[in-house]
Amino acid sequence: MGAGQRTGGRRRAVPWVMLALWVGILACASPFASKLADVQHDRVTDYLPASADSTQAAKLQEKLPGGQTTELVLVYHRDGGLTPADRATAARQVTEIAGAHALTGGTPQGIPSKDGTTLMYPVASNEPGTDEKKRDALVDDVRDVARSQDGLTVEVGGPGALATDASKIYQSLGGPLLYTTVGVVAVLLILIYRSPVLWLVPLVVAGIADYLSTGVAYGLHQAFGTTVSGQSSGIMTILVFGAGTDYALLLVSRYREELRRHERPYDAMRVALRGCGPAVLASSGTVAAGLLCLLAADLNSNRAMGPLGTVGVLCALAAMLTLLPALLVLFGRRVFWPLVPAYGSTPKVRRSLFAAMGSSAGRRPRTVLLGGVLLLGALALGALNLPGAVKQQDTFVDKPESVAALETLARGYPEHSAQPIDVLTPAGGADTALTTIRGVDGVDDARITRTGGGWTEISVTASAPPQTPAETRTIERLRDELKDSYVGGPSAQQIDLKDTNARDRLIVVPLVLLSVLLILVALLRSLVAPLILTVAVVAVWGAALGLGGLVFGPLFGFEGTDPGLGLLSFVFLVALGVDYGIFLMHRMREESLRGAEPSAAALTALRTTGGVIASAGLVLAATFAVLMNMGLVQLVELGFVISVGVLLDTFLVRTYLVTSASVALGRRVWWPGRLSRAPEAETPRVPEPV
């Protein structure tokens, strides 16, 4: 057998071996992938700071006799005043609920409002314990009994009902989010590739990567106890399809370019992987490094998102650099039909949009750069208009029954809070603590509800409405007076969330910037180019937040901003935004190594990668925009800021600002690397515009 035959046999075998390897990987992952939903939880403690008072209180509540208590409030209301028949209906419904479920303290007594329009029944049960499905079933059963009739409005609220309404939204992040994401990516790929077949290949590979990521995430949970929540698993799916499709677009574009220069698809793919592989590896590395920095966060939901997001990105990377190339080589050139790149053909020379953009940036680079910086700065000023921290009852896009109940209670009982503050104090000093609590300014009432395991639970009613400055001062006084106790409950949790997010920003943001800079320096062999890219993505983040400030309140009608928005949007925009800078700068460096002058290298890089970057940006922005269709304010805000930021990064920063800065700086952009002094001259080639 000759050398040519052996080489040809190897070419034919490698893709099949890779395909068989992936079949084996999926077979191993399959038993675990289906189990991820079983370990997914959306408990209060999964979204709270690990070290906060309110988190410790929630954990202790779970350990008290009966486990965690599900607290509900049945609210009966008639605008003109409750009638005797209304009160009889309320008593009958509450008795029926008490007969069907073991309520703490037996059948509750109604508490009428002073104006006679509202009657509330506090209901508590230990039946569900810490089981979220049982809690949701209890809330649904209570709502089935407590129904409005004949002008009498009946609403079920309280912490348990709020948790159930939020849980139902998080549960919808599974199937609906996946299907919507797949649909959006499919439509965009069809428009980008203009082929009836090609779009399906990267989409299927992304689906396989997503399936693998669920299995790996389950294994991570089993091995290290990693928290899996609806939010973190949903973000993982978006990253697989968003980032994975970006890598596919870059690889397919380069592969199509090489098919015109190489007769065999195997050879073209090998050259394409060598050409764009380092950029894709560095790109995924920045995203993974940025996400892993979230492990330094104290907020449980943010810290859990780091490992799962990293799993998603790495699974997407592995699939797009191994399985996708194998499939493309096996399908051959015909996968591009009807726009098949023939061997030896020359791409049509056309005046592309990105060539025009590059020309404008090349003619007056300093003017373009200054104009872009001023525009981003002006947009960033909108962040001053961001509303304050969102209250718990305002976290839903569409008002659920639990929030409507809270509002009814606030109108009917303006003299005191309708949301208890939970104090967990050592059992030995419970009486002393109770006396101290009742003497704290702002406390309307306090009573012992449960004791066990060395701890006593005291339910405190503040005189101020929930999550107001006056109630916040009451919680702070309680914490000052009760040094050995933990003060929790929904309002205390919101305070701790705000404080912890501020602390996490101070730690995580520098870590993200440092890790991204180090990866860029290693890839680009320069200090100046990485600094340009990093400053650019930070500017984009500020501008995207500013746009959020202009629309969240006035346009979307949101009453507040999620305290974690700044940190999460920063991590995602910096890590993901640098991707496009890497694609552009890496191609610019390639052209410089072939002997192109700095300005020519910058404009060629933009012309050849502009279409890919635009396509990738649209796909990534669209996948994160899917979050805007979810029912929680924090997800809508996060989806908006990241989507807008990616679009700004794609069509303003990469095309104009980074290009104009590179042209203006010339060879200094590669300082202190050798390209800043004397580039290696090689035979230049005419790249294919995309």
Side-chain angles (χ1 to χ4, degrees):
M1 182 182 293
Q5 289 177 309
R6 287 195 298 270
T7 302
R10 186 169 62 250
R11 290 193 189 103
R12 289 190 294 272
V14 169
W16 287 108
V17 170
M18 187 59 66
L19 192 60
L21 178 63
W22 270 94
V23 170
I25 290 173
L26 292 178
C28 294
S30 183
F32 307 106
S34 59
K35 296 181 180 180
L36 186 65
D38 297 336
V39 298
Q40 177 179 312
H41 296 288
D42 292 291
R43 299 165 298 197
V44 171
T45 51
D46 295 329
Y47 292 89
L48 289 177
S51 62
D53 255 30
S54 57
T55 309
Q56 304 308 315
K59 289 181 177 179
L60 288 173
Q61 284 176 316
E62 294 178 359
K63 296 178 181 178
L64 289 175
Q68 189 176 23
T69 301
T70 299
E71 297 178 342
L72 305 174
V73 180
L74 276 61
V75 184
Y76 295 84
H77 175 82
R78 186 184 289 273
D79 289 338
L82 294 170
T83 65
D86 293 337
R87 293 185 175 86
T89 297
R92 184 176 65 254
Q93 290 182 352
V94 171
T95 300
E96 183 178 346
I97 292 169
H101 300 280
L103 302 184
T104 304
T107 304
Q109 298 298 311
I111 304 173
S113 64
K114 291 181 179 179
D115 62 5
T117 63
T118 310
L119 181 65
M120 73 169 176
Y121 285 85
V123 173
S125 174
N126 293 329
E127 273 185 358
T130 58
D131 191 312
E132 297 165 51
K133 293 182 180 179
K134 290 182 179 179
R135 177 203 63 202
D136 296 344
L138 170 65
V139 173
D140 290 340
D141 286 347
V142 170
R143 284 174 170 168
D144 286 341
V145 175
R147 292 181 176 275
S148 302
Q149 51 186 282
D150 300 328
L152 173 66
T153 301
V154 185
E155 297 160 335
V156 179
L162 273 171
T164 291
D165 290 337
S167 175
K168 290 179 179 178
I169 292 177
Y170 281 120
Q171 289 168 11
S172 73
L173 291 180
L177 184 141
L178 174 61
Y179 305 144
T180 306
T181 302
V182 170
V184 167
V185 172
V187 170
L188 289 174
L189 286 177
I190 291 171
L191 295 175
I192 291 168
Y193 287 138
R194 291 169 292 169
S195 167
V197 179
L198 181 58
W199 66 274
L200 194 57
V201 180
L203 188 65
V204 168
V205 172
I208 291 172
D210 182 58
Y211 187 74
L212 175 63
S213 70
T214 58
V216 176
Y218 177 78
L220 205 63
H221 169 80
Q222 293 298 101
F224 303 103
T226 305
T227 300
V228 180
S229 66
Q231 178 177 280
S232 60
S233 61
I235 294 292
M236 182 179 72
T237 293
I238 285 178
L239 282 171
V240 170
F241 280 91
T245 305
D246 279 6
Y247 305 150
L249 287 168
L250 186 66
L251 176 63
V252 171
S253 174
R254 191 63 177 264
Y255 175 55
R256 182 179 61 186
E257 185 179 331
E258 298 300 335
L259 279 172
R260 298 183 185 277
R261 302 187 182 96
H262 299 273
E263 183 178 0
R264 296 182 178 87
Y266 178 88
D267 296 332
M269 179 58 72
R270 191 168 60 176
V271 175
L273 283 171
R274 281 204 303 264
C276 68
V280 172
L281 286 171
S283 168
S284 60
T286 58
V287 179
L291 289 170
L292 286 176
C293 289
L294 286 172
L295 288 171
D298 188 45
L299 191 62
N300 286 332
S301 54
N302 285 352
R303 193 168 64 247
M305 199 177 296
L308 261 68
T310 302
V311 165
V313 170
L314 294 182
C315 287
L317 172 71
M320 294 306 170
L321 288 187
T322 57
L323 179 59
L324 178 62
L327 291 175
L328 289 175
V329 170
L330 288 174
F331 287 134
R333 297 175 187 271
R334 59 185 177 274
V335 76
F336 289 92
W337 186 86
L339 305 175
V340 179
Y343 171 59
S345 64
T346 302
K348 293 181 180 179
V349 179
R350 62 184 186 274
R351 181 68 174 173
S352 70
L353 171 64
F354 296 98
M357 289 179 170
S359 298
S360 63
R363 284 194 302 269
R364 296 181 178 176
R366 290 178 177 82
T367 302
V368 171
L369 184 60
L370 178 61
V373 169
L374 291 176
L375 175 60
L376 291 176
L379 291 175
L381 292 175
L384 300 174
N385 194 48
L386 283 170
V390 65
K391 297 179 180 179
Q392 189 180 38
Q393 63 265 31
D394 296 326
T395 58
F396 299 90
V397 175
D398 298 317
K399 187 189 300 181
E401 184 179 335
S402 55
V403 172
L406 274 177
E407 294 177 350
T408 303
L409 287 172
R411 292 190 300 268
Y413 304 84
E415 68 278 2
H416 65 78
S417 173
Q419 188 167 270
I421 301 168
D422 300 322
V423 175
L424 277 295
T425 191
D431 292 336
T432 303
L434 186 61
T435 302
T436 301
I437 291 170
R438 287 172 174 167
V440 171
D441 185 25
V443 171
D444 187 63
D445 184 38
R447 57 189 176 85
I448 294 176
T449 53
R450 288 188 296 168
T451 301
W455 292 88
T456 294
E457 181 184 58
I458 301 175
S459 182
V460 180
T461 303
S463 56
Q467 296 178 36
T468 58
E471 190 202 35
T472 298
R473 288 192 292 272
T474 301
I475 292 172
E476 291 170 347
R477 293 189 195 104
L478 287 169
R479 286 177 169 172
D480 289 339
E481 294 291 335
L482 304 168
K483 299 297 185 183
D484 297 329
S485 303
Y486 296 109
V487 179
S491 296
Q493 291 164 6
Q494 294 301 107
I495 296 172
D496 291 338
L497 282 172
K498 183 179 179 182
D499 294 343
T500 301
N501 274 296
R503 172 262 179 200
D504 285 351
R505 282 196 298 271
L506 293 176
I507 295 176
V508 176
V509 166
L511 287 175
V512 172
L513 291 175
L514 179 61
S515 61
V516 168
L517 267 173
L518 290 176
I519 292 174
L520 290 176
V521 169
L523 175 72
L524 301 176
R525 307 291 197 274
S526 163
L527 290 178
V528 175
L531 284 172
I532 291 174
L533 295 180
T534 304
V535 170
V537 291
V538 172
V540 165
W541 169 68
L545 275 182
L547 283 170
L550 297 177
V551 303
F552 287 162
L555 187 61
F556 293 170
F558 294 160
E559 298 293 332
T561 305
D562 177 44
L565 175 65
L567 177 61
L568 284 182
S569 60
F570 179 87
V571 171
F572 283 113
L573 278 179
V574 170
L576 293 169
V578 166
D579 277 14
Y580 306 132
I582 288 174
F583 297 162
L584 180 65
M585 281 287 192
H586 186 261
R587 189 58 181 261
M588 194 185 305
R589 189 172 187 275
E590 277 190 82
E591 298 301 325
S592 297
L593 286 171
R594 295 189 183 103
E597 289 299 315
S599 59
L603 299 181
T604 300
L606 177 61
R607 186 170 64 252
T608 54
T609 64
V612 179
I613 290 176
S615 301
L618 286 172
V619 170
L620 190 62
T623 52
F624 272 95
V626 171
L627 289 175
M628 296 177 64
N629 195 40
M630 300 298 110
L632 291 176
V633 166
Q634 56 264 41
L635 296 180
V636 175
E637 292 177 342
L638 183 64
F640 176 86
V641 171
I642 295 178
S643 298
V644 168
V646 168
L647 293 177
L648 283 173
D649 198 29
T650 303
F651 293 101
L652 173 62
V653 173
R654 299 298 147 222
T655 52
Y656 280 115
L657 302 192
V658 172
T659 302
S660 60
S662 301
V663 172
L665 288 171
R667 291 180 182 174
R668 287 169 293 182
V669 76
W670 303 115
W671 185 88
R674 61 189 176 90
L675 283 178
S676 64
R677 299 183 298 273
E680 278 185 20
E682 291 184 10
T683 303
R685 63 179 180 177
V686 179
E688 177 186 355
V690 292

